[in-house]
Amino acid sequence: ILNVEQSPQSLHVQEGDSTNFTCSFPSSNFYALHWYRWETAKSPEALFVMTLNGDEKKKGRISATLNTKEGYSYLYIKGSQPEDSATYLCALPVEGGNKLTFGTGTQLKVEL
Amino acid sequence: DAGITQSPRHKVTETGTPVTLRCHQTENHRYMYWYRQDPGHGLRLIHYSYGVKDTDKGEVSDGYSVSRSKTEDFLLTLESATSSQTSVYFCAISASLAGEADTQYFGPGTRLTVL
């Protein structure tokens, strides 16, 4: 079983704050890491797929970095807005195949 | 948006009855997955399919079976529903192109309540 951990479990920030959270995973046999954004009452939406150590991806105010040697990825949100409120999931493929193991997510709430 | 639909979107049933959920895709993707979402557990894989008539178990497959007779349809059956199977069920698809780390695209979900 692949152990994927996310922290913190939940986060409340004010509009305009920048924030970040972590996905930790076993550093051996890394293949890829996926970040998803999941709004309440909707379905998970893909944000990034990261495959290389040192990889950095960006989409608007959201960016992610990857450190495969130490087994973590950070997701950053700059200038949080209420519409950023969602659960952010990371997932890794089991043994490099097509099955993903998901972390339990970080629930972000951005308050006015 | 990926062309994935799930039916029904909501269902209430009684303990002991069989239930079938349907996932339909228009993307001609090879891989299809069924997950359940539960508080404190996130998304857990029930079964997946890597082609027509080719399926395999996931992390929480007990009490569930699947079938895939056509590329576009993946059915999840609860053989005898129990209250512990009350959950939101998500279907996902991926293209599985060689050499790529595949993104999975999710359907809208089915909320199932077993009384």
Side-chain angles (χ1 to χ4, degrees):
Chain A
I1 295 178
L2 185 60
N3 191 24
V4 179
E5 296 186 351
Q6 292 188 247
S7 62
Q9 188 173 11
S10 64
L11 197 54
H12 287 236
V13 301
Q14 298 295 311
E15 184 179 9
D17 288 350
S18 293
T19 186
N20 67 86
F21 22 92
T22 307
C23 175
S24 301
F25 52 88
S27 56
S28 58
N29 297 321
F30 177 83
Y31 183 70
L33 183 144
H34 300 250
W35 279 104
Y36 284 85
R37 180 173 180 274
W38 193 2
E39 290 182 70
T40 301
K42 294 188 178 180
S43 51
E45 174 190 345
L47 282 174
F48 306 117
V49 180
M50 311 184 78
T51 56
L52 298 174
N53 186 42
D55 219 358
E56 182 168 350
K57 303 275 188 179
K58 188 171 182 179
K59 183 184 284 190
R61 294 178 292 98
I62 303 176
S63 61
T65 61
L66 177 66
N67 185 323
T68 60
K69 294 180 181 178
E70 296 185 31
Y72 64 84
S73 176
Y74 291 144
L75 190 78
Y76 300 91
I77 302 179
K78 184 178 178 182
S80 302
Q81 300 296 310
E83 59 264 31
D84 296 327
S85 297
T87 296
Y88 292 83
L89 297 170
C90 69
L92 285 88
V94 177
E95 297 173 346
N98 290 81
K99 294 191 290 186
L100 291 179
T101 293
F102 283 83
T104 53
T106 292
Q107 186 174 21
L108 174 67
K109 184 163 176 62
V110 182
E111 296 164 344
L112 295 170
Chain B
D1 290 343
I4 311 169
T5 56
Q6 293 184 230
S7 58
R9 294 292 313 279
H10 302 272
K11 186 167 182 69
V12 179
T13 191
E14 293 188 350
T15 298
T17 59
V19 176
T20 296
L21 309 183
R22 180 182 183 235
C23 177
H24 179 77
Q25 58 141 332
T26 58
E27 305 295 321
N28 201 34
H29 281 0
R30 177 183 174 190
Y31 282 76
M32 298 185 76
Y33 312 81
W34 277 108
Y35 291 91
R36 59 179 289 174
Q37 176 215 351
D38 302 294
H41 291 281
L43 285 168
R44 292 183 293 174
L45 182 66
I46 305 170
H47 282 280
Y48 73 106
S49 169
Y50 48 97
V52 173
K53 292 186 168 42
D54 292 323
T55 65
D56 204 352
K57 295 179 180 180
E59 183 185 351
V60 289
S61 59
D62 287 349
Y64 301 94
S65 62
V66 289
S67 65
R68 191 167 177 202
S69 58
K70 299 184 288 185
T71 299
E72 57 265 36
D73 288 327
F74 192 32
L75 304 181
L76 177 71
T77 297
L78 288 64
E79 292 136 12
S80 177
T82 67
S83 58
S84 64
Q85 293 175 311
T86 293
S87 187
V88 181
Y89 291 84
F90 285 95
C91 174
I93 65 174
S94 67
S96 187
L97 301 175
E100 291 193 8
D102 269 351
T103 295
Q104 292 186 13
Y105 300 93
F106 286 81
T110 293
R111 183 173 293 277
L112 176 68
T113 302
V114 183
L115 300 175

